[in-house]
Amino acid sequence: MSAAGKSRRSLLVATTSLGAGWILTGCATSSSERGKESEEKGRKEGKEEEEITPAEDLMREHGILRRVLLVYEEAIRRLTAHQELPPQVLASGAQIVRRFVEDYHERMEEDYLFPRFQKAGTLVELVTVLREQHEAGRKLTAEVLRLATPEGLRQPDSVAQLTNSLQRFIRMYQPHAAREDTVLFPALRKVVSPNEYDSLGEDFERKEHELFGEDGFEKFVDEVAGLEKALNLYELSSFTPRS
């Protein structure tokens, strides 16, 4: 092969290698960029999935209340059947109601929701009743905390008063929470702007973290689960009717 031929061959090989290298590098860069974009998109979608609307936040907090009501119902069953009831379990349930439901959840409703409905002239009568029931509930919780003691459970009169307070609390809060979930909370979007609605969610989250820490809701879920386990209520299958 002539020197010119060798030179042309060398140039062709070099050009081909350079082109292949560019293609591979380009593919790798493109693949890397796509990977980064996909990862970034996943993070954004995950963040969006974690965002909880104000109504959803309030409703899931009602879930904690309803699980405490199950503890109360079991306490009533044991008291009326003269079966053993650890007083600290019942007192702990009432403390959850006091700390999470009354001092946080209901205060948020009273400070952020009720005034907006009243200002808009929407569901004013319902809001008035709900506020009255909050006050009544706090009095009943104080009674439960006063009577749910080892000494209280030994006195027939105290047991009768405790049972009555628990029954009244359950009877009021079952329809109370249901009415809020199905009427008040869905109507919230009608009395606030979209931006105000989003801001409420941020206010709720900030207050929850301020009072209970980053995982406040989860901590109370775990507390309630502990009470359910103490009373053999935790297994969901135990509530399934058997033929």
Side-chain angles (χ1 to χ4, degrees):
M1 181 180 292
S2 67
K6 289 182 178 179
S7 178
R8 285 195 299 270
R9 176 179 172 81
S10 298
L11 178 62
L12 179 60
V13 170
T15 303
T16 303
S17 299
L18 178 63
W22 182 88
I23 291 172
L24 289 174
T25 303
C27 288
T29 301
S30 177
S31 177
S32 176
E33 289 176 351
R34 285 198 300 270
K36 289 180 180 178
E37 290 175 359
S38 178
E39 183 179 349
E40 182 65 23
K41 182 179 179 182
R43 280 199 296 265
K44 288 181 179 179
E45 289 177 349
K47 185 176 180 181
E48 290 175 356
E49 289 174 359
E50 290 175 1
E51 291 180 356
I52 298 174
T53 66
E56 182 184 358
D57 197 18
L58 293 165
M59 287 179 184
R60 71 173 188 163
E61 290 167 4
H62 276 172
I64 290 181
L65 170 63
R66 288 188 169 97
R67 290 176 72 168
V68 175
L69 295 184
L70 288 175
V71 171
Y72 281 8
E73 288 178 346
E74 175 63 13
I76 292 172
R77 187 192 70 79
R78 294 190 181 203
L79 289 171
T80 55
H82 304 288
Q83 295 179 356
E84 180 184 2
L85 173 66
Q88 69 273 16
V89 172
L90 181 55
S92 295
Q95 284 290 353
I96 291 175
V97 172
R98 171 60 52 82
R99 290 184 292 128
F100 187 78
V101 178
E102 297 173 350
D103 290 348
Y104 165 63
H105 173 89
E106 291 182 349
R107 295 300 183 191
M108 299 301 286
E109 291 178 341
E110 293 167 1
D111 293 343
Y112 290 90
L113 265 63
F114 294 174
R116 286 175 164 84
F117 280 100
Q118 291 171 322
K119 182 179 179 180
T122 301
L123 300 176
V124 175
E125 184 177 350
L126 173 61
V127 166
T128 300
V129 174
L130 294 173
R131 192 186 293 273
E132 290 173 351
Q133 291 185 341
H134 286 180
E135 292 301 320
R138 290 171 187 135
K139 293 177 181 178
L140 290 171
T141 297
E143 276 292 286
V144 173
L145 287 170
R146 183 178 68 85
L147 297 168
T149 64
E151 179 62 26
L153 295 189
R154 283 194 290 267
Q155 304 295 326
D157 289 345
S158 296
V159 170
Q161 292 176 38
L162 176 58
T163 302
N164 181 259
S165 294
L166 293 171
Q167 289 171 332
R168 293 166 67 195
F169 189 93
I170 294 169
R171 179 171 173 79
M172 180 177 71
Y173 268 103
Q174 284 179 335
H176 178 102
R179 196 65 59 93
E180 286 186 338
D181 286 348
T182 58
V183 179
L184 190 77
F185 299 160
L188 181 57
R189 288 184 182 273
K190 299 177 182 178
V191 299
V192 298
S193 68
N195 287 339
E196 191 175 6
Y197 189 81
D198 292 338
S199 295
L200 281 174
E202 295 172 3
D203 290 336
F204 292 171
E205 183 178 11
R206 182 168 54 253
K207 191 64 176 180
E208 181 182 317
H209 291 172
E210 176 186 319
L211 291 174
F212 310 120
E214 191 72 20
D215 300 319
F217 175 78
E218 289 76 12
K219 291 175 184 176
F220 280 101
V221 170
D222 289 341
E223 282 191 41
V224 175
L227 302 182
E228 292 171 338
K229 291 174 182 177
L231 298 178
N232 297 319
L233 299 172
Y234 183 72
E235 292 300 329
L236 187 60
S237 60
S238 67
F239 294 93
T240 305
R242 306 296 180 187
S243 56

